[in-house]
Amino acid sequence: MDYAGLEGALLLAEQMAVSMAEQVACLVKIDNGTSRPTARFGNKVARQHSVKNAPNTHQLSGIDQRNEMKPSTTWFATTIRNITTFALLALGPLACAETPIRIGVFEDEGVGKSANNLISALETTSKRKCSINRISGEQIRAGKLSEFDVLVHPGGSGSKQGKALGQEGRTAVKTFVQNGGGFLGVCGGAYLATNDYTWSLSLIDAKCVDRFHWARGTGNVNVKLSPTGSLLLGHNDDQIEIQYAQGPLLGRPEWDDEEVPNYESLGVFDSEIAKKKAPRGVMKGTSAIVRARYGTGRVFCFSPHPELTPGIEHLIALSVDWLAPSIDQHAVEAPEVSRVVRKHVPLDSSGGIAVLVTRDGKIIHQKGYGFVKGTHLTSQSPLSMASVTKQFAAMCAAMLIEEGKLELKGKVSHYLPDVHIPIDGRELLVQDLLWHTSGLPNFINSKEKASIAEFKTKFGLDFLTNKTHAEWLATTKLRHPPGQNFEYTNSGYVLLARIIEVIAGEPFHAFQMKRILDVLDMSDTTDSTRFNGSGNMKTTLLDYAKWDQAMWEKDDRLLPSAGYDMLFQPGALDNGESVDYGFGWYVSYENDKLVSMEHGGAGSGTTAARNWIRRHTKDQTTVAIFAQEHRQLTRSKRQLLVSEIYQALQPVN
């Protein structure tokens, strides 16, 4: 969306609204004593606040901040503006649509009827907008490939398609891919991609096993996916059943053609079809799904037919998404950062990583790399925050402390009188929850699973909420007396979220949305509606940049300046020993001066979040990485990556 144009339209609407409001105010007395909640549409809000001076964002500042108007006219004009905002945001995508993937589907001699199914699969399952057109061999020879991002050669006869292209057309296809285009070959198109025939394109260094028995029959086969294949194609199981119709059995050549790229096998045949006198024991173990790079372009081949297999037609769209260039209108790249990222996360490694670097609140790098569940990772992709979530819960607590509604040294029993947390030594205090000195068990630890399962069974619960989690804690024992040791526990922050929602008189996620997310216009940041504080939030690089800027600028819409200082004060044990943890951040001091604050996050499940945020006070630089499907990025590796990114941006003496 063209947000600059949107802001211009909003300013015009504002001026019109002011004029209308002043006229109406002369005729009607408007009662300003009623509450006017901000209108919410789905998960979006017509908001009146935004991050200051943020690049690539639109600012919907309340008109009362820029015009001295009577209260009545202010309300009327604001209402008109919010209505206009909603209309423009709703219509904006129509006027400023996403740039589509331009797909050319080969239509000439040798193309089978399955091409229609392939086009239908793209039209109905692609998550990205596609522009699909047929292209002939003659058009390819005439240079029409320049109008496309991806060329698809569907099922049929690979030899006839190759001959329909002719030598000139085959050279044009290779040049297209060499210069950054994408090539998808399905069945006959996969034969065409090999370097095993005189009519082949030689895009992948593969031969066709048992060429003599290519017509080995049709039917469903099992394909065993590699770990990378499962992630890229978004398939939780490593087995997939797919229709086969005499596609190539792709194998490594007995020779190595240095001019043709090696392919990566994403799936191998795990069962076989051996009809028409084809020998048994040949098909199983050969490659069924492969990908490769050719020059600056990409190649993807299916020997079988996902577009003909009910339930997995979307694999065609996923492969095209991998082949097509990533479109991220909000990307900002510092080449030295990308070099460091690619050193740690190779180009074709599974999963994706999003990197944000800011300095003085300004974005100097904002870019996604790779794929998550088969989709390009961009600055607008949803990112699992895992334990980075804690800094938001801590901010909510700081707000209540500043307002005198929550005491750092207040007893948990004072705020939750119906929850009887075990007492060992002294009572549990709010500061213990923030600083991880509580001694509470950690619900995420495997050794707590049996206790939680028993609790849920006893009370007929399908899941824990903030409230029932607190009640479960009351049935457990403390691991050590409060204030005696630092021991990281997610349960402390979930209990903190429960205290916050009791004080606020509303669900934690609603309080957090109203007080932080709506204020900073973090419209794509979400949280669980029932279990909060420790790790369930999702955000985007665009949104996290707004939060980061608010923290550096000490945005007074969240906290007064002194309140921000409180966030990064180190905690303390009862014996006075300092704890290098503040309000949701690990803090580092040198000579009593704050040097840096940082925090990580590691999730489980298919996303396997691996995050790390570090903020340097010396030059107000933030380096944030959000990795998904990268289990190999251990805590130490993430810390090293963040350190090297920061060092790469330092001036050379």
Side-chain angles (χ1 to χ4, degrees), residues 466-467 496-508 532:
N466 296 335
K467 182 176 183 294
L496 179 66
R498 176 58 184 160
I499 291 174
I500 290 169
E501 64 185 12
V502 167
I503 294 173
E506 61 182 332
F508 176 86
N532 311 101

Side-chain angles (χ1 to χ4, degrees), residues 111-131:
V111 172
K113 295 180 180 179
S114 63
N116 296 325
N117 301 82
L118 188 148
I119 291 173
S120 177
L122 285 169
E123 291 175 337
T124 58
T125 67
S126 180
K127 294 180 181 179
R128 293 172 63 181
K129 186 174 181 180
C130 296
S131 171

Side-chain angles (χ1 to χ4, degrees), residues 68-185:
E68 294 181 2
M69 296 167 45
K70 296 177 182 179
S72 59
T73 59
T74 299
W75 175 82
F76 189 87
T78 302
T79 302
I80 294 293
R81 182 180 169 87
N82 281 344
I83 293 172
T84 307
T85 299
F86 170 60
L88 288 169
L89 286 173
L91 295 174
L94 299 178
C96 308
E98 171 194 0
T99 302
I101 304 173
R102 302 171 301 166
I103 304 170
V105 179
F106 190 68
E107 175 66 18
D108 212 315
E109 289 294 319
V111 172
K113 295 180 180 179
S114 63
N116 296 325
N117 301 82
L118 188 148
I119 291 173
S120 177
L122 285 169
E123 291 175 337
T124 58
T125 67
S126 180
K127 294 180 181 179
R128 293 172 63 181
K129 186 174 181 180
C130 296
S131 171
I132 306 170
N133 291 281
R134 308 222 186 209
I135 185 170
S136 67
E138 182 180 354
Q139 290 173 311
I140 288 175
R141 290 190 293 274
K144 291 292 185 179
L145 279 178
S146 62
E147 301 174 8
F148 297 95
D149 301 309
V150 176
L151 173 65
V152 179
H153 274 263
S157 168
S159 62
K160 289 182 179 180
Q161 290 184 42
K163 292 171 183 176
L165 284 169
Q167 183 60 52
E168 184 181 354
R170 294 195 295 272
T171 299
V173 172
K174 294 177 69 172
T175 301
F176 167 73
V177 181
Q178 177 89 32
N179 293 335
F183 177 94
L184 172 61

Side-chain angles (χ1 to χ4, degrees), residues 64-308:
D64 54 311
Q65 296 175 1
R66 290 184 287 185
N67 295 280
E68 294 181 2
M69 296 167 45
K70 296 177 182 179
S72 59
T73 59
T74 299
W75 175 82
F76 189 87
T78 302
T79 302
I80 294 293
R81 182 180 169 87
N82 281 344
I83 293 172
T84 307
T85 299
F86 170 60
L88 288 169
L89 286 173
L91 295 174
L94 299 178
C96 308
E98 171 194 0
T99 302
I101 304 173
R102 302 171 301 166
I103 304 170
V105 179
F106 190 68
E107 175 66 18
D108 212 315
E109 289 294 319
V111 172
K113 295 180 180 179
S114 63
N116 296 325
N117 301 82
L118 188 148
I119 291 173
S120 177
L122 285 169
E123 291 175 337
T124 58
T125 67
S126 180
K127 294 180 181 179
R128 293 172 63 181
K129 186 174 181 180
C130 296
S131 171
I132 306 170
N133 291 281
R134 308 222 186 209
I135 185 170
S136 67
E138 182 180 354
Q139 290 173 311
I140 288 175
R141 290 190 293 274
K144 291 292 185 179
L145 279 178
S146 62
E147 301 174 8
F148 297 95
D149 301 309
V150 176
L151 173 65
V152 179
H153 274 263
S157 168
S159 62
K160 289 182 179 180
Q161 290 184 42
K163 292 171 183 176
L165 284 169
Q167 183 60 52
E168 184 181 354
R170 294 195 295 272
T171 299
V173 172
K174 294 177 69 172
T175 301
F176 167 73
V177 181
Q178 177 89 32
N179 293 335
F183 177 94
L184 172 61
V186 179
C187 193
Y191 276 109
L192 186 62
T194 68
N195 65 346
D196 208 9
Y197 301 89
T198 57
W199 41 262
S200 293
L201 292 172
S202 297
L203 294 176
I204 55 174
D205 196 7
K207 72 173 184 177
C208 300
V209 177
D210 195 19
R211 288 174 46 168
F212 184 76
H213 297 99
W214 66 268
R216 59 194 315 106
T218 63
N220 283 4
V221 293
N222 292 326
V223 171
K224 183 178 177 62
L225 299 176
S226 70
T228 298
S230 294
L231 289 172
L232 186 66
L233 299 176
H235 199 71
N236 292 331
D237 194 1
D238 66 353
Q239 290 280 341
I240 189 169
E241 187 176 353
I242 190 168
Q243 185 170 329
Y244 173 80
Q246 304 181 156
L249 313 183
L250 298 171
R252 307 288 178 186
E254 289 139 3
W255 65 93
D256 182 29
D257 190 336
E258 294 181 357
E259 296 183 1
V260 181
N262 291 324
Y263 64 83
E264 177 186 4
S265 182
L266 301 175
V268 298
F269 289 110
D270 203 32
S271 64
E272 67 177 355
I273 292 177
K275 303 175 183 178
K276 303 179 182 180
K277 298 183 180 180
R280 291 191 171 277
V282 174
M283 185 174 183
K284 191 173 180 180
T286 60
S287 289
I289 307 171
V290 304
R291 69 173 180 175
R293 288 186 173 273
Y294 187 88
T296 58
R298 298 179 174 191
V299 181
F300 203 106
C301 294
F302 290 99
S303 171
H305 287 271
E307 79 280 14
L308 298 178

Side-chain angles (χ1 to χ4, degrees), residues 484-618:
Q484 300 300 304
N485 301 100
F486 173 88
E487 185 177 22
Y488 192 93
T489 173
N490 290 285
S491 284
Y493 270 75
V494 180
L495 188 58
L496 179 66
R498 176 58 184 160
I499 291 174
I500 290 169
E501 64 185 12
V502 167
I503 294 173
E506 61 182 332
F508 176 86
H509 73 275
F511 177 82
Q512 177 179 247
M513 181 175 291
K514 179 174 65 179
R515 298 293 299 272
I516 301 177
L517 306 184
D518 285 357
V519 170
L520 299 181
D521 194 22
M522 297 176 67
S523 56
D524 291 317
T525 299
T526 61
D527 199 354
S528 167
T529 58
R530 61 176 183 247
F531 199 77
N532 311 101
S534 66
N536 281 329
M537 292 181 71
K538 290 188 176 182
T539 192
T540 65
L541 289 186
L542 287 176
D543 268 10
Y544 194 81
K546 298 174 184 178
W547 166 255
D548 176 70
Q549 185 177 23
M551 295 288 281
W552 282 122
E553 294 186 351
K554 298 186 176 181
D555 193 320
D556 59 10
R557 293 175 295 169
L558 302 184
L559 283 176
S561 180
Y564 284 92
D565 296 337
M566 171 176 59
L567 297 177
F568 307 113
Q569 290 296 319
L573 302 178
D574 287 355
N575 62 7
E577 182 181 341
S578 179
V579 172
D580 295 333
Y581 199 94
F583 279 47
W585 292 92
Y586 289 96
V587 292
S588 178
Y589 278 76
E590 292 181 6
N591 299 321
D592 296 326
K593 184 178 181 180
L594 180 63
V595 174
S596 65
M597 43 285 219
E598 59 188 319
H599 211 285
S604 57
T606 56
T607 58
R610 295 292 184 268
N611 311 326
W612 201 267
I613 321 291
R614 184 176 296 153
R615 308 175 78 236
H616 298 265
T617 59
K618 177 182 178 181

